[in-house]
Amino acid sequence: YKKIPGTTFTVDGFRSTSVNDGVTHYFLSHFHADHYAGLRSSFNSGPIYCSQITANLVKQQLRVNPSYLHPLPMNIPTTVANVSVTLMDANHCPGAVIILFRLPDGTTHLHTGDFRAIPEMQQYTPLKGVTVDTLFLDTTYCDPRYAFPPQNEMIDLIVNRVREELKIGRTLVLIGSYQIGKERVFLSVAERLKLPVFVEKQKHSILKAIDLHHHHITTDKSSTPIRVAPIFMLSVPKLLSLLKTEGVNYSRIVAIRPTGWTHSASDTKQYGPVKVIGVPYSEHSSFSELKQFVHFINARRVVPTVNNSNGESVAKMLMDLGVK
């Protein structure tokens, strides 16, 4: 599911870079560790094609030699080794793309990397009137039990919740994020509440690299009661420990965990002065969104790229999606 049929291309396939595997060109869908795994500063196996934002991050964070990085334009076909390659926005994290490969004989493959399918994708010009032979599909949440509300609805919910929580004095609000991901959430909170949001210096450098440096973003902790924090830090024990060090300024902590693994719009856990609010804000497709996207693309073959370790699992996903 990483190698593109009929080519010597691989998508997100850096773990094995032996010349014996026949790969000559590397594509990186986005800058998340499970996709760039194996990519190091010493990489010298061939050109890497990706979006400009992803190229900036690979250079800054992994220190890969820039001569190997070849950022491609968005929505414009580019010829790579006689194959037409088009990048489109994946609605995942900044810089994430879905990739359309059209071979010289007309065979066409679409690789979604990680994505959140939305109706607007059906208006993508490069996808109009295209017959896709193979759809490599992000099946992270390919199960009928995963039904997420639209992202904008969840952002509205988070903004309103933060506004209400801050009405209670001496409240510190933490908004969960990844190294890259969930930026839309905390930037929306900052813009709509007109309050600065604190980020650590490393996160600040990443935001600058992806051109998301915003006037509401600050590296001065004392200037705001809202902070961006690694999502793995937002557990009750860790927050209670943090409150001990922040007790001079704050008497309670409210943590927002925006993740697709939360199924309900109000998954709240409270332990004394600490409250953790899970919000089903996902940057992967819900099951119904996957089904609609698969129907729209109508590929001759669908290849799941997640949870695909055994044939039974793959067969069930394809059956649930209505793929024959």
Side-chain angles (χ1 to χ4, degrees):
Y1 64 91
K2 293 181 183 290
K3 286 190 177 181
I4 301 304
T7 75
T8 53
F9 298 172
T10 185
V11 177
D12 302 338
F14 297 96
R15 281 195 175 97
S16 173
T17 56
S18 164
V19 292
N20 296 324
D21 64 12
V23 171
T24 60
H25 296 71
Y26 296 79
F27 290 80
L28 179 57
S29 64
H30 64 294
F31 194 74
H32 275 164
D34 53 332
H35 290 257
Y36 65 71
L39 181 56
R40 300 180 178 87
S41 61
S42 59
F43 178 88
N44 62 0
S45 299
I48 301 171
Y49 300 89
C50 56
S51 67
Q52 182 65 63
I53 285 175
T54 299
N56 292 349
L57 290 166
V58 170
K59 180 181 174 183
Q60 181 197 69
Q61 298 295 311
L62 302 181
R63 303 194 182 282
V64 168
N65 186 328
S67 67
Y68 290 104
L69 298 174
H70 298 267
L72 299 180
M74 300 294 290
N75 306 308
I76 299 173
T78 304
T79 300
V80 177
N82 295 321
V83 175
S84 174
V85 179
T86 309
L87 308 187
M88 292 159 277
D89 182 51
N91 189 37
H92 183 58
C93 66
V97 294
I98 61 177
I99 311 172
L100 185 69
F101 299 93
R102 187 190 291 269
L103 279 60
D105 66 358
T107 302
T108 303
H109 308 294
L110 180 63
H111 201 297
T112 68
D114 282 351
F115 82 136
R116 172 110 192 227
I118 49 176
E120 288 82 350
M121 289 179 177
Q122 298 185 26
Q123 304 306 314
Y124 282 2
T125 301
L127 295 181
K128 289 184 176 178
V130 172
T131 299
V132 174
D133 291 281
T134 311
L135 171 61
F136 294 90
L137 185 69
D138 167 20
T139 44
T140 299
Y141 292 118
C142 189
D143 188 304
R145 64 192 164 128
Y146 292 116
F148 313 129
Q151 288 173 318
N152 287 340
E153 285 183 19
M154 292 301 93
I155 287 175
D156 289 345
L157 183 150
I158 289 168
V159 169
N160 291 332
R161 196 67 188 264
V162 171
R163 182 187 289 116
E164 291 304 308
E165 295 292 349
L166 286 176
K167 288 179 181 178
I168 301 172
R170 289 168 51 80
T171 296
L172 174 62
V173 172
L174 303 181
I175 300 174
S177 179
Y178 301 124
Q179 182 186 33
I180 176 171
K182 317 295 184 183
E183 287 77 12
R184 205 176 305 169
V185 174
F186 62 78
L187 288 175
S188 295
V189 170
E191 288 171 4
R192 289 162 60 178
L193 298 187
K194 294 182 169 52
L195 286 171
V197 171
F198 167 82
V199 298
E200 299 285 355
K201 287 183 179 178
Q202 184 186 17
K203 182 72 171 179
H204 191 255
S205 69
I206 288 173
L207 293 177
K208 288 174 72 175
I210 64 179
D211 203 25
L212 272 182
H213 182 57
H214 193 279
H215 65 279
H216 281 310
I217 298 298
T218 180
T219 54
D220 176 10
K221 256 183 199 174
S222 65
S223 66
T224 178
I226 306 174
R227 299 179 190 173
V228 174
I231 204 160
F232 68 86
M233 290 289 297
L234 305 186
S235 65
V236 169
K238 289 177 179 175
L239 295 174
L240 285 170
S241 177
L242 175 63
L243 189 57
K244 288 180 182 177
T245 66
E246 297 286 350
V248 174
N249 300 309
Y250 301 103
S251 59
R252 64 193 294 263
I253 292 179
V254 175
I256 307 291
R257 296 186 82 256
T259 170
W261 298 112
T262 298
H263 293 190
S264 130
S266 183
D267 177 16
T268 301
K269 296 175 183 174
Q270 181 144 11
Y271 189 93
V274 164
K275 183 187 290 186
V276 180
I277 303 170
V279 178
Y281 174 88
S282 177
E283 291 177 336
H284 291 272
S285 308
S286 68
F287 176 75
S288 64
E289 290 164 342
L290 281 177
K291 200 164 184 177
Q292 289 168 20
F293 187 79
V294 166
H295 178 74
F296 161 63
I297 296 297
N298 193 27
R300 293 193 169 105
R301 183 170 72 114
V302 177
V303 177
T305 62
V306 183
N307 303 320
N308 58 0
S309 58
N310 66 73
E312 189 176 321
S313 162
V314 169
K316 182 181 186 309
M317 286 191 286
L318 295 179
M319 184 178 67
D320 287 343
L321 289 170
V323 175
K324 294 180 181 178

